[in-house]
Amino acid sequence: MLAKLMTYTLLGIDAHPVEVEVDISSAHQPSKTLVGLPEAAVRESLHRIERAIANSGFEVCYDRVVVNLAPADLPKQAASFDLPICLGMLAASGQIPGDRLDQFAVVGELSLEGTMRPARGALSMAVSAARDVEHRALIVPEQSAVEAAVVESVEVYGVTSIAQAVGFLTGAIDLDPVPARVDHWFEAYGQEPLDFADVRGQELAKRAMTIAAAGNHNLLMLGPPGSGKTMLAKRLPTILPSLTNGESIETTQVYSAVGRLPPGQPLLVRRPFRSPHHTISEAGLVGGGSVPAPGEISLAHHGVLFLDELPEFQRRTLEVLRQPLEEGTVTISRAQRSTTLPADFMLVSALNPCPCGFRGDPRRSCHCSPPQVERYMNKISGPLLDRIDLHIEVPAVPVDELASKASGTTSERMREQVIAARQRQLSRFAESKTRFNAQMTSRELRQHVPLDGECREILRRAVEELGLSARAHDKVIRVARTIADLDSVDTPTPEHVQEAVGYRVLDRRIWT
């Protein structure tokens, strides 16, 4: 007897539909065969499923069992195939009717006693189910049901065991769909615990942070140890606009696929902030593996990636950031297939001016020799620096400002400016795929950023004196456009262009 039902497998962060076919026929010797390119965790599942069936009070089949996972050329991984294979076996052996199996997609890992364990990527599977007109209902482990239910167009039913799943499919028990409760999660977890008011002094750095957040520009900070670079970077998400529902689901998909969702929080509602250690590998940063998995740049999707002590990272590791910074995605190619992962993030980096950190500090002496400084700085290539829009200095804070009781600029005030500037950009790019000034193409630069003669003269001198590349030249114009948006001005003025050029001063002072 043959039974069929639908499930999903994860590739990267995307869920792909898989049809589970279970055929049972009489044979002199019992055997169980699993085909369809299963990975090790799936191949091992037959032993686990057999004992789960027995311990749940059902009969174990001792005939010839063949399980096919179609399409056959798609790799099948993870233990989420346990429940669909189990239900297929029960239906094919005649222990349960199979007339309702075609109404649901089924996902879940089993324990030996027949209870459910959470499934990775439940949200991605719900997103895939929402595109399937025939299977817009999901049966998932109860622990993963709230996560999958945030996709409001899909009915999600959570089960705790094989027995409950069978009872629901046979009509013996009724289950209500799990409510989405998206608004509840935004209200419960949407508050930011940090504030720029905690940072004493550094008002010029806060100004640069506001510009970076308003136009989605990448930012580099140069300063001695203890000047507040990390504090500033950690507070950048607090001035970015709140995640939209769509952005929240996209970001949560990445964390769900790698099993990194915070306990009890099925939906990420704050922009992620990732700060990997400088010993990270290329695969850890951009993603990789025999079956490509997301890396740090994908975990920072719609958020901030902070690289502290930038020259301490391996140069090859930093160079792999070039394509994601330009395209907002990263493509990982393997022999059989390629996987494209999301990587739309703001890059914020920090570095000291020399190995000891005190070069140029009037209060501390630097003992680094010029060759040492040169080797330290040469770890960052010119092409990577070109892709960073703003370079700012973050000097040590005077002791009087540290002791002051006066609050600095707050995140709320900076966020109001950022949201107003981004609204102007949304109106400007209403008929384009571009969303932010940092993403403008060369054609859009000519269309949306008209410059007068004085502005062009400032740019010409900057190119000649700082040795700016064509890419850096365009980035100055994009930053000037963002500064004009913050001032609610339609056309950048010479003052805006001059300020934008000022944020490229590191090109001359450090790199040449």
Side-chain angles (χ1 to χ4, degrees), residues 194-214:
L194 302 176
D195 196 299
F196 268 104
D198 302 331
V199 182
R200 300 298 183 186
Q202 305 298 9
E203 291 301 316
L204 292 178
K206 291 182 183 180
R207 165 70 173 174
M209 284 277 180
T210 304
I211 295 169

Side-chain angles (χ1 to χ4, degrees), residues 377-508:
M377 291 301 183
N378 281 343
K379 291 183 179 180
I380 306 174
S381 68
L384 178 62
L385 185 73
D386 256 359
R387 289 166 168 81
I388 301 178
D389 308 58
L390 296 95
H391 317 150
I392 65 170
E393 291 186 272
V394 183
V397 181
V399 66
D400 292 340
E401 292 189 22
L402 288 175
S404 174
K405 295 182 179 180
S407 297
T409 305
T410 64
S411 291
E412 182 179 2
R413 181 179 174 186
M414 296 166 68
R415 190 167 184 263
E416 289 173 356
Q417 295 176 310
V418 169
I419 291 175
R422 288 204 173 192
Q423 285 296 330
R424 293 176 65 88
Q425 294 168 59
L426 288 176
S427 301
R428 179 180 303 125
F429 305 123
E431 299 180 359
S432 167
K433 293 182 179 179
T434 302
R435 294 181 298 156
F436 309 114
N437 289 334
Q439 300 170 341
M440 278 191 290
T441 64
S442 297
R443 180 178 297 179
E444 288 172 330
L445 277 178
R446 293 191 296 270
Q447 178 183 353
H448 297 298
V449 195
L451 298 176
D452 60 23
E454 187 176 354
C455 291
R456 294 194 177 279
E457 177 61 22
I458 294 172
L459 276 173
R460 186 190 65 78
R461 291 201 307 269
V463 170
E464 293 178 353
E465 294 175 8
L466 303 181
L468 300 182
S469 67
R471 179 188 287 114
H473 169 274
D474 286 353
K475 285 193 176 295
V476 169
I477 299 176
R478 293 185 181 99
V479 172
R481 174 68 271 178
T482 300
I483 297 171
D485 286 337
L486 286 168
D487 289 345
S488 301
V489 176
D490 292 333
T491 303
T493 65
E495 290 75 16
H496 297 145
V497 176
Q498 190 66 57
E499 183 177 358
V501 169
Y503 294 125
R504 301 294 305 192
V505 66
L506 296 187
D507 287 315
R508 177 181 59 200

Side-chain angles (χ1 to χ4, degrees), residues 170-478:
T170 58
I173 61 175
D174 291 327
L175 293 177
D176 294 324
V178 179
R181 303 178 67 196
V182 173
D183 292 340
H184 167 76
W185 303 122
F186 270 87
E187 183 178 345
Y189 296 104
Q191 300 299 318
E192 292 284 357
L194 302 176
D195 196 299
F196 268 104
D198 302 331
V199 182
R200 300 298 183 186
Q202 305 298 9
E203 291 301 316
L204 292 178
K206 291 182 183 180
R207 165 70 173 174
M209 284 277 180
T210 304
I211 295 169
N216 205 50
H217 300 290
N218 301 317
L219 175 70
L220 180 147
M221 295 180 286
L222 175 81
S227 58
K229 301 185 296 294
T230 301
M231 283 188 71
L232 289 163
K234 285 183 176 180
R235 284 155 179 77
L236 182 56
T238 67
I239 63 174
L240 295 172
S242 300
L243 288 171
T244 64
N245 283 5
E247 290 174 338
S248 178
I249 288 176
E250 287 179 15
T251 305
T252 306
Q253 275 186 264
V254 179
Y255 282 75
S256 173
V258 295
R260 294 195 185 181
L261 278 179
Q265 185 179 346
L267 187 67
L268 294 179
V269 298
R270 294 203 304 262
R271 295 191 179 271
F273 177 87
R274 303 295 302 178
S275 180
H277 193 261
H278 62 258
T279 57
I280 192 171
S281 65
E282 296 171 39
L285 188 62
V286 301
S290 56
V291 178
E296 287 292 335
I297 63 174
S298 295
L299 293 171
H301 185 53
H302 292 313
V304 176
L305 176 69
F306 178 50
L307 301 183
D308 199 6
E309 306 295 345
L310 189 65
E312 300 296 338
F313 286 79
Q314 292 294 324
R315 181 164 179 154
R316 281 190 58 186
T317 303
L318 293 177
E319 291 307 300
V320 298
L321 290 174
R322 292 193 197 179
Q323 181 221 357
L325 285 173
E326 291 290 326
E327 300 181 7
T329 60
V330 59
T331 299
I332 302 172
S333 299
R334 294 293 179 262
Q336 293 186 344
R337 65 178 66 245
S338 296
T339 301
T340 299
L341 300 171
D344 185 7
F345 59 92
M346 282 183 62
L347 174 64
V348 178
S349 53
L351 68 155
N352 298 324
C354 65
C356 77
F358 299 108
R359 182 181 180 216
D361 190 337
R363 300 177 300 180
R364 303 284 295 272
S365 58
C366 172
H367 302 288
C368 301
S369 64
Q372 286 178 311
V373 176
E374 186 176 355
R375 283 194 300 270
Y376 180 74
M377 291 301 183
N378 281 343
K379 291 183 179 180
I380 306 174
S381 68
L384 178 62
L385 185 73
D386 256 359
R387 289 166 168 81
I388 301 178
D389 308 58
L390 296 95
H391 317 150
I392 65 170
E393 291 186 272
V394 183
V397 181
V399 66
D400 292 340
E401 292 189 22
L402 288 175
S404 174
K405 295 182 179 180
S407 297
T409 305
T410 64
S411 291
E412 182 179 2
R413 181 179 174 186
M414 296 166 68
R415 190 167 184 263
E416 289 173 356
Q417 295 176 310
V418 169
I419 291 175
R422 288 204 173 192
Q423 285 296 330
R424 293 176 65 88
Q425 294 168 59
L426 288 176
S427 301
R428 179 180 303 125
F429 305 123
E431 299 180 359
S432 167
K433 293 182 179 179
T434 302
R435 294 181 298 156
F436 309 114
N437 289 334
Q439 300 170 341
M440 278 191 290
T441 64
S442 297
R443 180 178 297 179
E444 288 172 330
L445 277 178
R446 293 191 296 270
Q447 178 183 353
H448 297 298
V449 195
L451 298 176
D452 60 23
E454 187 176 354
C455 291
R456 294 194 177 279
E457 177 61 22
I458 294 172
L459 276 173
R460 186 190 65 78
R461 291 201 307 269
V463 170
E464 293 178 353
E465 294 175 8
L466 303 181
L468 300 182
S469 67
R471 179 188 287 114
H473 169 274
D474 286 353
K475 285 193 176 295
V476 169
I477 299 176
R478 293 185 181 99

Side-chain angles (χ1 to χ4, degrees), residues 1-7 20 22 83-92 96-106 134-135 137 139 165-166 168-170:
M1 186 175 177
L2 178 67
K4 296 182 180 181
L5 65 162
M6 290 298 300
T7 186
V20 178
V22 181
L83 184 59
I85 293 174
C86 172
L87 293 176
M89 286 182 173
L90 295 176
I96 65 171
D99 54 340
R100 294 188 66 194
L101 291 180
D102 61 349
Q103 300 175 21
F104 301 91
V106 183
E134 296 182 1
H135 301 91
I139 296 176
V166 168
F168 174 64
L169 288 170
T170 58

